[in-house]
Amino acid sequence: MRVGSELIALHCIVRREVVRILRLWLQTLVPPAVSTALYFAIFGKLIGDRIGSVEGGASYLHFITPGLVMMCVITSSYGTASSSFFFVRFNRAVEEMLASPMRNRTILLGYVVGALVRSLLVGAIVVAIALALAPSLPLAHPWIAGLSVLLAATIFSLLGFINALYAKTLDDIGHVTHFVLTPLAYLGGVFYPISLLKTPWQEIAQVNPLAHMIGAFRYGVLGTGAPGVGVSIAVMLVLTLGLSALALFLLGRGVGTRT
């Protein structure tokens, strides 16, 4: 398949995903914004005013903002990629893509980019809500903040795609969100500094990939909270490359598409 044809195929997949996201904006964009606004109102304002400053002298509202943004980004990217490709399989539309000269890398990239679009839109909405409540929110290291969000969204888009290959029902997708992603997010330091944890929980948190993602993004925004930001970025890069290779391998073997 020539490069021009691959770009056309990629554009078709991404365009279809983006149109679906925007057409169903009441389901894809509004719910994360509403739930996050409640988090900001209850934890950031009501409780945060009583807590005062936390790690690095930041206000509690500023402290939880990167964690809430990252939590919305990862859940949105995972949910979009997993549900979208699952329904393609369920409706047997995947057979048309497999019968075409479209390469596996084009299929994977198309769904990952589509999930990235939704997750970044949701992240932008959450940031807008945070800025409305706390206009003085800093941005200490823009490149680190942007890279950490992009890598985190890519990782969970890939995880969602892989899960969609194995999922037999829609419940299989929801179980991962409820029993894996949400607990890892809450244990990853969304609402508290990891340094407050005692042994062995602090050591356990170090192997939680979400703790690295949240810590790196918080460092990019506030300039504090991730002394090992280089390690966190490296962990995310390794996960991105590893999951990409795994997803392409599974597509090549026909897992969930030919079996």
Side-chain angles (χ1 to χ4, degrees):
M1 190 175 183
R2 301 174 67 177
V3 175
S5 300
E6 283 195 62
L7 291 177
I8 293 174
L10 177 62
H11 174 265
C12 290
I13 296 176
V14 174
R15 183 177 182 275
R16 183 183 62 190
E17 291 299 298
V18 172
V19 168
R20 184 180 66 86
I21 292 167
L22 297 179
R23 186 177 68 247
L24 302 175
W25 62 274
L26 281 174
Q27 301 175 30
T28 57
L29 301 179
V30 174
V34 172
S35 60
T36 305
L38 292 174
Y39 278 124
F40 279 126
I42 296 173
F43 289 95
K45 299 296 291 183
L46 183 62
I47 299 177
D49 290 342
R50 300 186 180 186
I51 294 177
S53 61
V54 288
E55 190 177 54
S59 68
Y60 188 68
L61 179 59
H62 285 175
F63 178 82
I64 67 172
T65 296
L68 290 175
V69 172
M70 188 62 79
M71 186 169 68
C72 289
V73 165
I74 63 177
T75 53
S76 297
S77 57
Y78 170 83
T80 302
S82 57
S83 62
S84 181
F85 194 72
F86 173 80
F87 281 115
V88 168
R89 286 182 54 222
F90 182 79
N91 294 324
R92 308 189 71 86
V94 69
E95 296 176 359
E96 298 178 5
M97 290 189 289
L98 295 176
S100 72
M102 192 183 306
R103 294 185 178 181
N104 290 336
R105 67 187 184 191
T106 305
I107 297 174
L108 177 62
L109 184 59
Y111 283 96
V112 168
V113 172
L116 284 177
V117 170
R118 182 196 172 192
S119 62
L120 294 179
L121 285 174
V122 170
I125 293 172
V126 174
V127 170
I129 295 173
L131 289 175
L133 296 173
S136 58
L137 182 69
L139 186 59
H141 306 287
W143 288 105
I144 294 178
L147 180 61
S148 58
V149 166
L150 186 61
L151 288 175
T154 302
I155 288 168
F156 282 94
S157 298
L158 291 166
L159 279 173
F161 186 90
I162 292 171
N163 188 39
L165 290 172
Y166 285 103
K168 303 298 183 183
T169 66
L170 197 58
D171 289 336
D172 294 333
I173 294 172
H175 289 160
V176 175
T177 301
H178 299 314
F179 299 116
V180 179
L181 296 188
T182 301
L184 286 178
Y186 283 114
L187 294 173
V190 173
F191 297 105
Y192 57 87
I194 296 296
S195 58
L196 293 180
L197 296 176
K198 296 183 179 179
T199 302
W201 295 107
Q202 188 169 145
E203 288 73 16
I204 293 175
Q206 298 303 319
V207 298
N208 180 357
L210 269 71
H212 289 283
M213 298 173 190
I214 294 170
F217 184 56
R218 181 171 285 136
Y219 177 81
V221 174
L222 303 179
T224 60
V229 65
V231 175
S232 298
I233 296 296
V235 168
M236 288 188 281
L237 286 171
V238 170
L239 286 173
T240 300
L241 295 175
L243 290 171
S244 298
L246 176 60
L248 289 174
F249 173 77
L250 294 175
L251 276 176
R253 292 289 301 272
V255 175
T257 56
R258 297 188 178 94
T259 57

